Amino acid sequence: MLHLKRNKCSRLIKYPRKHCRIFKPREKCTDASFVCYPVEFLYAKIRKMALNQAAKELLSVMKNEDYEKLVDLASKNKSKKIPYTFKDAIKNLSGSEIDKMWSMLNKMVEKKAEVLLDGNKDTSNTSLDNKTCTELNQVLHAAIDLASVVFEESMPASQDLLQMVVFLNGILFEIPSSIENLRNSIAHLCEKMYHLNYVVNLNQYLIHNIVIYLLKRTLNRKAIKTDVKRIYAMRSAIPKILEMSEINPKLVWELLKKCATSPLYLSMLEGQKIIALALSTDVKYVATMHEAIKQKLLSGSVEQGVTYGKIYYEAYTHSVKTNNETLKNELEMICLQDIILTAIQSRDKKIVLVLQKMLGQFHYQKKEVYISKMLYFLYQPILWR
């Protein structure tokens, strides 16, 4: 422990002479046992030494696979009880040291997750004990905190770091629901990486499970608007995810169908755009999506009729702008024509009003040539029969 003495009415600190080999003397001092340094200079030097020590400690933890120490450092990093953070420690590592750190941490994460995967393979023990869940939660959260530093600071990501994130995305649904916060933390990490475009043109492999997870999460009773916005921010990846061989597209479409009738989605502009995207993504599923929406409309409110009108209008406009004639015809004949006929044939005034409000969103845009032509085409058999 160094004992520093500060001169009265001065910005100098007396530093023990026996340690002065570390720094070059800056000021003369009459006391033979001390050397004087400016306060700012000395504090900066001491902090740099502390950061170097922190970086070495972090590497030592990885090398020794000391899970307990890693969790302890992560806890201190969050509580700010130490004068340095993970960010400070990583920034004091060289490029090769950072690569080694991620290589060792990746192995630690995979080794720790083996307990989870083995537990799920054992049909006689489908749930992990609380102690194992707690340890897994703490270790993976520590790894996530370290990885977050790289993305937040826009630092280069090593191959091992990318592999670790892909691995975490892959085991997302293997994690017990009792540690839901860990699932959400993994999702946030993958989202950061996706938005920063660390893997060009292959981002769907980072988030395919994340999107499915968030779709399920937004359909829960405790769903919040923020989660819908998170999906909206990744909406461009949904068509690519549906084409992946690693997932079951029917599962995703089933979730999207439920989202299409979710009050939470209907109450948000972002949610409405996600439904419109689902309507215009794959021609094969237009009829399925429409049937689910129609059932909601028949028991829905006038406000929902207006909302669905805007959704169908956006999907139809997309088909026109992209020159997708197949999708355009499907929306006209399967969806809009069906709504028109239902409105004419129904004897329930409330249903008629709801459907009128929905179709009204197209009527308001009839000055657009393509809308005018579409309305004439659909109403012609009814008006002139």
Side-chain angles (χ1 to χ4, degrees), residues 85-265:
T85 60
F86 277 160
K87 180 174 72 174
D88 298 321
I90 291 176
K91 284 189 172 182
N92 275 271
L93 292 173
S94 65
S96 60
E97 287 175 329
I98 291 175
D99 290 342
K100 287 180 182 178
M101 182 192 76
W102 290 122
S103 176
M104 292 184 286
L105 183 59
N106 187 23
K107 291 177 182 177
M108 288 176 69
V109 168
E110 290 182 359
K111 187 175 180 180
K112 197 66 179 177
E114 281 179 6
V115 180
L116 168 69
L117 299 175
D118 291 342
N120 281 342
K121 287 177 184 177
D122 184 2
T123 55
S124 63
N125 181 25
T126 55
S127 61
L128 300 175
D129 59 86
N130 291 335
K131 183 181 178 181
T132 304
C133 284
T134 301
E135 290 176 357
L136 180 72
N137 186 28
Q138 291 174 339
V139 171
L140 294 192
H141 261 121
I144 290 168
D145 290 343
L146 272 168
S148 295
V149 172
V150 173
F151 304 137
E152 288 168 3
E153 298 298 314
S154 300
M155 298 168 66
S158 69
Q159 190 65 30
D160 288 296
L161 172 56
L162 298 178
Q163 287 178 2
M164 187 184 81
V165 177
V166 171
F167 175 76
L168 290 174
N169 173 60
I171 65 168
L172 188 69
F173 293 117
E174 307 295 336
I175 296 171
S177 57
S178 59
I179 44 178
E180 170 67 19
N181 64 327
L182 177 58
R183 287 183 179 180
N184 199 33
S185 296
I186 292 173
H188 276 294
L189 178 67
C190 294
E191 288 169 60
K192 283 180 185 176
M193 199 169 181
Y194 168 80
H195 293 307
L196 292 171
N197 206 25
Y198 269 86
V199 185
V200 182
N201 298 326
L202 293 173
N203 279 325
Q204 63 269 26
Y205 291 96
L206 289 174
I207 59 162
H208 62 280
N209 275 346
I210 306 304
V211 171
I212 296 172
Y213 162 73
L214 288 175
L215 286 172
K216 290 181 177 180
R217 186 178 167 95
T218 54
L219 294 172
N220 289 334
R221 290 181 180 179
K222 296 181 180 180
I224 55 176
K225 291 184 177 181
T226 304
D227 290 335
V228 177
K229 291 180 180 179
R230 288 166 66 185
I231 297 174
Y232 177 74
M234 298 184 288
R235 65 193 182 282
S236 60
I238 293 177
K240 295 179 182 178
I241 291 171
L242 287 166
E243 295 174 357
M244 291 175 62
S245 58
E246 289 82 358
I247 68 160
N248 179 7
K250 290 183 179 179
L251 169 64
V252 181
W253 280 111
E254 195 62 33
L255 291 171
L256 289 172
K257 191 167 71 172
K258 291 178 181 178
C259 292
T261 59
S262 165
L264 178 62
Y265 278 78

Side-chain angles (χ1 to χ4, degrees), residues 48-61:
K48 187 174 181 180
M49 290 171 60
L51 292 177
N52 288 335
Q53 184 62 34
K56 290 179 181 178
E57 184 180 17
L58 191 59
L59 279 177
S60 176
V61 167

Side-chain angles (χ1 to χ4, degrees), residues 298 341-353 355:
L298 296 179
L341 292 174
T342 303
I344 292 172
Q345 295 170 358
S346 177
R347 295 185 178 183
D348 189 321
K349 291 183 179 180
K350 183 183 176 182
I351 292 176
V352 172
L353 181 59
L355 298 181

Side-chain angles (χ1 to χ4, degrees), residues 349-370:
K349 291 183 179 180
K350 183 183 176 182
I351 292 176
V352 172
L353 181 59
V354 170
L355 298 181
Q356 282 179 343
K357 290 294 183 181
M358 181 207 159
L359 293 170
Q361 303 308 306
F362 286 88
H363 299 160
Y364 296 147
Q365 305 295 334
K366 63 184 179 182
K367 290 184 179 180
E368 297 286 346
V369 176
Y370 65 93

